[in-house]
Amino acid sequence: MPPIPGSGLAKGLAVTLRTMTKRSHTAQYPDAQPELPPRSRGVIGLFEENCTVCMLCARECPDWCIYIDSHKETVPPAAPGGRERSRNVLDRFAIDFALCMYCGICIEVCPFDALFWSPEFEYAETDIRDLTHERDKLREWMWTVPAPPALDPGAEEPKELAAARKAAEKLAAAQSEPASPPAAPSTPAASDGPAGPADSAGPAGPAPAGGPADQPGPAGSAAADGPDGPAGSTGPGDAAGPPSGEGGPA
């Protein structure tokens, strides 16, 4: 069946009529900022601390719009007797966004996570030469990079975050604990060790009951011994002659 003449025009006018009856969704930019998806490709932010000047991003860029300058510095040994080391120091990192085609190859090939996509898009310039942004501007855009979403809610956190969290918790616990006074040395018990100063005998006092002063002395002694011998004992001068009243030889 041949098409009816003017049917295409009628279908087009029908679409127009349906659209005219719907409410428009015009965003009043720049008064209202658009809500961009988290993976929007606006500009490239530079995290300078992670850059090792490996030049891999500049080599892989298909437009050659990344410019990097650096120099080498000698690092003294960390310990005596060690070897000196040399490292690359970043002098310039610039991206010409007039040449960039936003392919993201430089971000993918960076082995040290120094480049990130930022949703920032308001960087238009009146002069094309001003679209070459240096590392200071790239670092400012780094703070607009959104946090990456978790791949799996039940996945384990990265080892770097776990190690950093443990170190921070350990440092906080060490700072919160008050300094405890040194423990006093323990004194040994009286029954377990030698007698201390408190257990040693002091100056001699009265002899206790049953001591040497209360024990009976030699037979016939009733008092303390004098210089002539024990009291009551017969000395050498008393061993003379016969008892009194007996006559001796005339």
Side-chain angles (χ1 to χ4, degrees):
M1 181 179 179
I4 301 175
S7 60
L9 178 62
K11 291 180 180 180
L13 291 175
V15 173
T16 303
L17 291 175
R18 286 197 305 267
T19 306
M20 291 176 60
T21 58
K22 294 181 180 180
R23 187 177 179 179
S24 62
H25 297 278
T26 303
Q28 301 298 326
Y29 178 81
D31 297 332
Q33 293 291 331
E35 295 182 2
L36 301 176
R39 299 183 64 184
S40 299
R41 295 189 176 188
V43 290
I44 299 173
L46 171 66
F47 192 55
E48 188 176 339
E49 285 76 6
N50 287 359
C51 182
T52 60
V53 201
C54 63
M55 301 290 183
L56 195 57
C57 56
R59 295 193 196 104
E60 297 297 331
C61 179
D63 292 334
W64 291 84
C65 64
I66 300 177
Y67 311 108
I68 301 175
D69 294 332
S70 65
H71 69 278
K72 289 185 177 293
E73 284 187 357
T74 302
V75 180
R83 294 180 56 186
E84 295 182 349
R85 296 183 180 182
S86 61
R87 66 173 181 178
N88 293 325
V89 179
L90 183 65
D91 293 331
R92 186 194 182 200
F93 194 107
I95 298 178
D96 188 358
F97 286 97
L99 298 177
C100 180
M101 63 179 184
Y102 304 92
C103 63
I105 292 178
C106 57
I107 298 176
E108 295 177 1
V109 300
C110 180
F112 302 104
D113 292 336
L115 298 175
F116 297 89
W117 277 118
S118 168
E120 184 69 30
F121 62 92
E122 296 177 327
Y123 56 97
E125 300 289 347
T126 57
D127 191 349
I128 193 174
R129 291 172 293 184
D130 295 335
L131 287 175
T132 302
H133 295 289
E134 300 293 333
R135 63 177 183 176
D136 295 336
K137 188 64 176 179
L138 301 179
R139 185 178 181 85
E140 292 180 7
W141 285 333
M142 181 63 203
W143 310 123
T144 62
V145 175
L151 300 179
D152 188 357
E156 297 181 358
E157 65 177 355
K159 296 180 179 179
E160 295 81 4
L161 293 179
R165 182 175 291 106
K166 289 181 180 179
E169 291 176 355
K170 187 180 297 185
L171 180 60
Q175 292 178 351
S176 62
E177 291 180 358
S180 57
S186 57
T187 57
S191 60
D192 297 338
D199 299 334
S200 60
D214 296 338
Q215 295 179 0
S221 63
D225 298 341
D228 295 335
S233 62
T234 305
D238 298 335
S244 62
E246 294 183 0

